[in-house]
Amino acid sequence: MAVDYAVIVLYLAGMLAMGWWGMRRATSKSDFLVAGRRLGPAMYSGTMAAIVLGGASTIGGVGLGYRYGLSGAWMVFTIGLGLLALSVFFSARIARLKVYTVSEMLDLRYGGSAGLISGVVMWAYTLMLAVTSTLAYATIFDVLFGLDRALAIILGGAIVVAYSTLGGMWSITLTDMVQFVVKTIGVLLLLLPIAVIKAGGFAEMKAQLPDDYFAPLGIGGQTVFTYVLIYSFGMLIGQDIWQRVFTARGDRVARLGGTAAGTYCLVYALAGAVIGTAAKVLYPHLGSPDDAFATIVKDALPVGVRGLVLAAALSAVMSTSSGALIACATVANNDIWARIRGVVRRQSPATDAPHGPDAGHGGAGEPRDEVRGNRVFILLMGLAVIVIALVLNNVVEALTVAYNLLVGGLLVPILGGLLWKRGTGAGALASVAVGGLTVVGLMLSLGVLANEPIYYGLLASLVAYVAVSLATRPTDAAVLDAWRARLAGRPGAAGAEPSVASGPSATTSPAGR
């Protein structure tokens, strides 16, 4: 294992080095939180694919393939479908908003009345997403080095927190590109063909396994439908995903780059299911389906290659963990802490001046303490994530709670704001509250892993949004005009960064607040 260890250690050292290099580029808030909004198609698509394909998509995707066969691809497949829908239908408009968080979008659309409560929901989601990703280090480092669970969580978490704190989104972008390449080589180009060959090819796999393993809906139609509700719709509204959309250089990059990333996810989904199916042929009596990935890597791959594929699994976990961490810190600082303090950030003329490709968005005139403050919040949130990961046991339930709250509480007001001009701030607040409470209540009564909470939570959220919006006064015309101007990317609207609203009375103008 010496060669494999060397590969892993070099990879981890490279991640820290890129974090240090990224720190030199993160000189403004825009650089630190959204990579200066300057990513081109190659970097954008690579980093977007890296963040959505985490440990659950890699280790969990192979485990689903081991348990259900090719239909085990559906979980990751629905993630890819959600990313495609986001990229084709919404990403251009989202990128033109020039905001930092989903809650800022809601403030712009509804006049500053929905930001705080939506920020709390989004913060809880991103925090739990970061925790569940961090927990995966325990599995990987146990396979690599036989480390104790707590030590593995601290080691993996510390590396991610270090490079994320140093360079923010620039460091995360650079490391994600490396992680994307490592995942592509390790999983698609090496593990996939070797696993199929070791299992005797597809003909032998079909002969050894039940027909259900090769049925498109072997996992169950209701399960697929639930995956669509949770993961496809979750891709449309998650802060971690939107924050990557904000990094795009323009509308075309967001649309085409995201489409490429979504297509890559579909291929990755099928690859994971095929690897899991091959593992079922090779190791039919594993104690847990989630052991399939580590088992086939350890037993089927040669020295060196094994280290690279394990590095690919580590890449998958790190990319999702770092993306969730910066999203969590951004929401905590910009949507919650600043509002609690009653701070209203206003642009100075120097800051509003054009500055390179991201004219008006965090140029040289921006105070350096913006970067320092966000860096402190990444460090604080990172430490909180590690502590929670050390005491948390049930990863699946924690992730399910996070996604149910996200989709049940925020999907309707976000998509409603983008698609229905009659939606109001009161309707958005009612939608978040009713949808969230319905989800929580049904999870408590029926169980966290039940399908009904998300079904009825979404329905309740939609009914509340429409009913309250129609029963209340339409959104102020000035707010809607500013919203349309920002969506259209018209001069003056696109050139100002939105500030944090101080309360329900906050309004928006085309030039910003």
Side-chain angles (χ1 to χ4, degrees):
M1 292 289 289
V3 175
D4 296 324
Y5 290 162
V7 171
I8 299 297
V9 170
L10 285 174
Y11 166 77
L12 294 175
M15 295 301 98
L16 291 174
M18 289 194 174
W20 183 263
W21 188 65
M23 181 177 65
R24 301 175 63 184
R25 303 198 63 170
T27 58
S28 70
K29 178 181 178 181
S30 180
D31 287 333
F32 192 81
L33 295 182
V34 290
R37 307 187 198 271
R38 293 198 292 268
L39 297 192
M43 291 193 75
Y44 178 85
S45 59
T47 57
M48 182 63 86
I51 188 177
V52 300
L53 296 173
S57 300
T58 304
I59 299 171
V62 172
L64 287 173
Y66 183 89
R67 185 174 180 184
Y68 298 106
L70 299 186
S71 66
W74 273 110
M75 185 188 76
V76 184
F77 205 82
T78 56
I79 290 174
L81 291 178
L83 186 52
L84 284 171
L86 174 71
S87 302
V88 173
F89 298 112
F90 300 108
S91 63
R93 281 182 282 181
I94 292 170
R96 284 197 293 267
L97 290 175
K98 303 297 185 185
V99 295
Y100 290 115
T101 68
V102 174
S103 294
E104 286 179 2
M105 168 264 171
L106 292 172
D107 273 351
L108 285 170
R109 170 60 181 82
Y110 296 114
S113 60
L116 180 59
I117 186 172
S118 65
V120 172
V121 173
M122 190 64 75
W123 173 78
Y125 157 73
T126 53
L127 179 70
M128 294 313 299
L129 183 61
V131 167
T132 54
S133 299
T134 302
L135 281 167
Y137 297 132
T139 300
I140 297 173
F141 280 110
D142 177 56
V143 172
L144 290 175
F145 307 117
L147 291 181
D148 174 74
R149 175 183 179 274
L151 184 58
I153 290 172
I154 293 171
L155 175 61
I159 292 172
V160 170
V161 171
Y163 73 69
S164 301
T165 302
L166 285 172
M169 187 60 81
W170 267 122
S171 293
I172 293 170
T173 296
L174 295 170
T175 54
D176 277 0
M177 277 305 298
V178 175
Q179 290 159 356
F180 171 74
V181 172
V182 171
K183 277 193 289 192
T184 300
I185 295 173
V187 175
L188 298 185
L189 301 184
L190 293 177
L191 183 57
L192 174 61
I194 291 174
V196 173
I197 292 170
K198 290 280 188 180
F202 286 102
E204 182 64 20
M205 290 162 64
K206 290 200 71 171
Q208 294 270 358
L209 297 172
D211 291 341
D212 287 350
Y213 268 69
F214 302 92
L217 294 177
I219 198 170
Q222 187 180 34
T223 299
V224 174
F225 181 64
T226 303
Y227 283 162
V228 170
L229 287 183
I230 293 178
Y231 296 113
S232 295
F233 286 145
M235 288 297 104
L236 297 180
I237 59 174
Q239 170 67 26
D240 52 325
I241 310 302
W242 277 42
Q243 199 155 341
R244 294 308 172 98
V245 176
F246 300 151
T247 66
R249 191 167 56 202
D251 298 358
R252 184 177 175 83
V253 170
R255 186 182 298 110
L256 296 182
T259 301
T263 304
Y264 178 90
C265 291
L266 303 184
V267 175
Y268 200 88
L270 186 58
V274 171
I275 293 168
T277 305
K280 183 65 175 180
V281 173
L282 294 170
Y283 318 102
H285 304 297
L286 291 178
S288 168
D290 286 341
D291 293 337
F293 180 87
T295 302
I296 197 169
V297 169
K298 287 179 67 177
D299 294 348
L301 299 183
V303 173
V305 173
R306 181 171 50 204
L308 183 60
V309 174
L310 287 172
L314 196 58
S315 297
V317 176
M318 282 189 162
S319 56
T320 301
S321 181
S322 60
L325 176 59
I326 193 172
C328 177
T330 303
V331 171
N333 187 20
N334 293 271
D335 292 334
I336 299 176
W337 177 243
R339 293 170 194 271
I340 291 174
R341 293 175 58 198
V343 174
V344 178
R345 296 192 178 107
R346 297 185 181 277
Q347 299 286 343
S348 67
T351 305
D352 287 334
H355 177 67
D358 186 36
H361 303 289
E366 192 168 77
R368 290 294 296 273
D369 60 357
E370 288 278 14
V371 175
R372 191 180 305 114
N374 282 288
R375 184 173 280 135
V376 167
F377 265 85
I378 289 183
L379 179 60
L380 292 176
M381 291 300 103
L383 293 175
V385 164
I386 292 172
V387 171
I388 295 172
L390 289 172
V391 299
L392 194 66
N393 290 319
N394 198 316
V395 181
V396 175
E397 290 193 0
L399 190 60
T400 302
V401 169
Y403 267 101
N404 280 351
L405 283 173
L406 173 71
V407 176
L410 291 181
L411 178 69
V412 171
I414 291 173
L415 294 189
L418 289 169
L419 300 174
W420 190 40
K421 65 180 181 181
R422 185 60 180 82
T424 66
L429 285 172
S431 179
V432 175
V434 172
L437 290 174
T438 301
V439 165
V440 171
L442 289 176
M443 283 192 296
L444 290 174
S445 61
L446 300 177
V448 170
L449 299 180
N451 292 323
E452 288 81 4
I454 190 62
Y455 297 164
Y456 294 113
L458 270 176
L459 180 61
S461 180
L462 177 61
V463 170
Y465 181 71
V466 173
V468 175
S469 291
L470 292 176
T472 53
R473 293 180 57 185
T475 304
D476 186 83
V479 173
L480 287 179
D481 287 344
W483 168 254
R484 295 189 190 101
R486 188 69 71 105
L487 276 180
R490 291 203 291 267
E497 295 281 12
S499 60
V500 176
S502 59
S505 62
T507 57
T508 310
S509 69
R513 290 198 297 271

